[in-house]
Amino acid sequence: MTASSAAPKIAPLPAPKTGARLVVEALDAQRVEFVFGYPGGAIMPVYDAITEASFKHILVRHEQGAAFAADAYARVTGRVGVCMATSGPGATNLVTGIANAMMDSVPLVCITGNVASPLMGTDAFQEVDILGVTLPIVKHSWIVRDPADIPAIFAEAFHIAASGRPGPVLIDLPKDVQIGVVAAPVQATPAKDTARRLDPSQLRRAEAAIGLAERPLLYIGGGVRIANAVAEVRQFARNTGIPAVSTLQGLGALAPDWPGNLGMLGMHGTREANEAVQACDLLIVLGARFDDRATGKLSGFAPHARVIHIDIDAAEIGKLRDAHIAITGDVKTVLPALSPRPLAITPWIERCARERARHEARYDAPGEGVYAPALLKELSERAGDTFVAACDVGQHQMWAAQHCRFASPFAHLTSGGLGAMGYGLPAGLGAKLARPDAHVVTISGDGSFIMNIQELATLKRYGIALKIVLLDNASLGLVRQWQELFFDGNFSEIDLSDNPDFAAVARAFGIDAFRITKREEVSAGIDRLLAAPGPCLAHVLIDPKENVWPLVPPGKSNAEMMHGEA
């Protein structure tokens, strides 16, 4: 037989693959670095397959910890975070973390196992309709019915989670889909974003309004971090000279030492920030949503201001406050298109600078006890520009927002919209894995810390060198403060005086730990914390009666701030 008459070669058929193997390949195709999860019966085939994955799986000790760790990883890196759990209680334990990501616009892919398809709807062991449970708190969700669809579904899931206004998505995998064998899976097709074209007429209207304003003010929200628009915001502020206030999620978008940075506005905002909002005649809103904790009584918020609202989500514009000029688009794209130029607003700039100097925080509180704001300020300054704080929820959260120095919005991680206690420790471990070179510090309170204290075991197992500052006032401090001020001092169920010795608990987990009880011990304690080669906890005892000031009372406008003893 001659070469020309040889039979044509037939390409071999691809080797059949299980759905579980396709899941691992789909995650590797997205260049996933870490998956945070906890195994169980309904997700076991995927866990069998991940032994050959390129990504690293982090075994947390509670599924809520997986969601919070993935959330923080996503906030720090700007990439999609991934968490995974089994069916039933494993899936429902993810729900708080999914809601947290939805409210703070964090891109997550959440993978759950489920009972086999024929058993779905029969009340099978550990069966929960997790797709139905999470419908209000995800951007999109899937129940995979055919293992051949896994590559395409996963590619679409990562695209949806990260595109537009980011958020969490859910992929539910019945067990029979995971073990099903596929010879020719449906291949993923690259997703294409359709760029939204900016409206030139709105841009020109915005430029004209900015040029005419005598007291313009930037109102910076978390959308600036999400859009990775820090450079653009800082350039716009420098070019125009417009002073700025930030929401809790917008902190760090401006350099803390920039003269026009007036700090956080709202319920626990600075006096100078809230006073500037009340006095401004033009409010330029950058990726913020007029949250009630920022605005106080909405009808009294920025009463003299026209509003330019810039946001990638058109649904946010006009939802709570009418915008005189609405620009739907990415802050990173919109600001350079506004052709910013210096403005003749020197009296306004000088007025804001005077108020900032007049209300500058003092750190010389009387007594020998540890003053938490001073400790947090010193900690952030000593850690420098690599300081990253993963904050829990409570008084310590507000003190950190008021007094820590954040070099960028990627350095401040907190549960903003949901206000979920228990966020700080798992968020800290996710952030430290994302930024091993940084001084990542979890700032927590005794109430919050104990909610996910089991993740100390995760720190130990993987040698994650997270630093923890635990401010212990033996109470639910923020609730206690409200009961003192607004419920006639009727203290109900806020006493945590039976807390354990948290330093001893940490050492039982194999974590280095020590106590700080006096002000004179603070500097040495910060030295020890930052120098520790591995995970380390500083258990700091503070005055149970210390309150967070200023404070806007519930139902009041930001013009009605209470200043307390501060």
Side-chain angles (χ1 to χ4, degrees):
M1 183 180 292
T2 64
S4 60
S5 61
K9 292 183 178 180
I10 300 175
L13 292 174
K17 296 176 181 177
T18 65
R21 183 67 217 162
L22 292 173
V23 168
V24 171
E25 290 183 359
L27 294 172
D28 282 339
Q30 295 293 328
R31 296 194 172 101
V32 170
E33 187 178 15
F34 296 104
V35 171
F36 302 90
Y38 200 94
I43 196 68
M44 206 173 292
V46 172
Y47 272 87
D48 182 62
I50 66 172
T51 57
E52 300 178 8
S54 297
F55 59 82
K56 183 174 179 61
H57 180 272
I58 302 297
L59 177 66
V60 297
R61 299 307 171 95
H62 190 285
E63 292 88 354
Q64 187 180 104
F68 284 155
D71 170 295
Y73 175 88
R75 295 189 201 220
V76 170
T77 63
R79 301 177 63 189
V80 177
V82 182
C83 58
M84 184 160 62
T86 192
S87 65
T92 57
N93 281 345
L94 291 177
V95 169
T96 296
I98 295 172
N100 186 68
M102 187 67 175
M103 294 194 73
D104 285 352
S105 303
V106 179
L108 290 189
V109 168
C110 307
I111 304 164
T112 53
N114 212 331
V115 300
S117 299
L119 294 176
M120 295 178 76
T122 68
D123 297 328
F125 177 66
Q126 289 193 333
E127 182 199 355
V128 166
D129 177 13
I130 195 61
L131 185 139
V133 168
T134 58
L135 274 176
I137 54 171
V138 295
K139 286 184 72 176
H140 199 73
S141 51
W142 299 259
I143 297 178
V144 183
R145 301 295 187 180
D146 185 340
D149 294 332
I150 286 173
I153 286 175
F154 270 72
E156 185 180 7
F158 274 81
H159 175 71
I160 290 174
S163 61
R165 180 176 181 172
V169 301
L170 176 81
I171 304 175
D172 196 36
L173 295 165
K175 195 168 185 179
D176 57 311
V177 171
Q178 298 172 53
I179 63 177
V181 177
V182 179
V186 177
Q187 294 305 308
T189 55
K192 293 183 179 179
D193 280 319
T194 303
R196 181 185 292 273
R197 185 172 178 272
L198 299 177
D199 184 341
S201 65
Q202 293 295 82
L203 293 174
R204 302 294 79 81
R205 288 184 64 208
E207 286 180 345
I210 293 170
L212 292 172
E214 296 180 354
R215 301 182 305 280
L217 189 68
L218 300 178
Y219 173 8
I220 298 171
V224 169
R225 172 185 56 80
I226 294 167
N228 197 20
V230 174
E232 288 75 14
V233 169
R234 292 184 178 187
Q235 187 66 46
F236 185 87
R238 283 194 299 268
N239 287 351
T240 61
I242 298 175
V245 299
S246 299
T247 67
L248 180 67
Q249 299 287 17
L251 292 172
L254 291 177
D257 54 356
W258 187 66
N261 186 352
L262 303 178
M264 185 173 70
L265 82 162
M267 178 173 283
H268 291 292
T270 67
R271 299 190 205 185
E272 58 268 31
N274 282 341
E275 288 174 3
V277 171
Q278 295 307 104
C280 73
D281 64 359
L282 179 68
L283 198 62
I284 306 167
V285 185
L286 307 177
R289 57 188 179 89
F290 290 93
D291 176 74
D292 58 287
R293 287 295 177 103
T295 67
K297 185 178 180 181
L298 192 61
S299 61
F301 181 73
H304 310 295
R306 302 184 74 215
V307 173
I308 299 173
H309 198 165
I310 302 169
D311 202 290
I312 199 166
D313 186 354
E316 288 296 345
I317 299 177
K319 184 176 80 173
L320 294 172
R321 170 73 178 255
D322 288 337
H324 298 86
I325 301 170
I327 302 178
T328 304
D330 194 317
V331 174
K332 190 178 184 70
T333 303
V334 173
L335 284 184
L338 284 176
S339 304
R341 59 188 184 278
L343 303 175
I345 54 172
T346 299
W348 171 240
I349 293 172
E350 291 176 346
R351 172 178 169 178
C352 290
R354 283 195 307 271
E355 292 304 301
R356 173 174 166 166
R358 187 161 74 93
H359 298 309
E360 187 174 6
R362 296 181 59 183
Y363 298 97
D364 54 351
E368 297 181 357
V370 177
Y371 184 48
L375 181 149
L376 294 173
K377 177 178 183 288
E378 182 177 350
L379 171 68
S380 66
E381 290 175 345
R382 297 266 293 282
D385 287 349
T386 65
F387 174 68
V388 176
C391 298
D392 254 306
V393 172
Q395 287 181 315
H396 57 278
Q397 177 192 30
M398 295 298 101
W399 282 324
Q402 292 172 337
H403 302 287
C404 284
R405 181 187 185 279
F406 298 112
S408 86
F410 300 97
H412 179 230
L413 316 174
T414 196
S415 175
L418 192 64
M421 295 172 69
Y423 177 79
L425 179 53
L429 75 86
K432 185 62 178 177
L433 287 170
R435 287 282 311 277
D437 58 319
H439 284 301
V440 180
V441 182
T442 283
I443 299 171
S444 191
D446 46 319
S448 288
F449 187 70
I450 208 165
M451 287 193 172
N452 274 316
I453 198 170
Q454 76 285 338
E455 298 311 328
L456 290 174
T458 310
L459 297 184
K460 175 62 177 177
R461 167 173 287 211
Y462 298 103
I464 300 170
L466 176 68
K467 308 306 188 292
I468 302 165
V469 172
L470 173 54
L471 299 174
D472 183 355
N473 58 8
S475 70
L476 296 174
L478 208 50
V479 180
R480 183 206 57 75
Q481 179 173 342
W482 277 48
Q483 290 177 348
E484 174 191 331
L485 298 174
F486 310 122
F487 291 86
D488 298 322
N490 183 27
F491 298 118
S492 174
E493 301 302 326
I494 48 81
D495 178 19
L496 300 181
S497 59
D498 53 355
N499 277 329
D501 180 342
F502 286 107
V505 172
R507 286 192 289 268
F509 277 95
I511 305 296
D512 182 24
F514 61 97
R515 297 181 106 197
I516 298 175
T517 62
K518 298 179 181 179
R519 195 170 305 183
E520 63 192 33
E521 300 169 342
V522 167
S523 291
I526 290 174
D527 282 339
R528 177 175 174 180
L529 189 73
L530 296 179
C536 186
L537 180 145
H539 181 198
V540 185
L541 302 185
I542 63 172
D543 183 355
K545 296 183 177 64
E546 191 69 56
N547 286 334
V548 178
W549 302 109
L551 166 65
V552 176
K556 302 295 185 180
S557 78
N558 288 353
E560 300 172 272
M561 296 185 79
M562 299 170 63
H563 305 304
E565 307 87 29

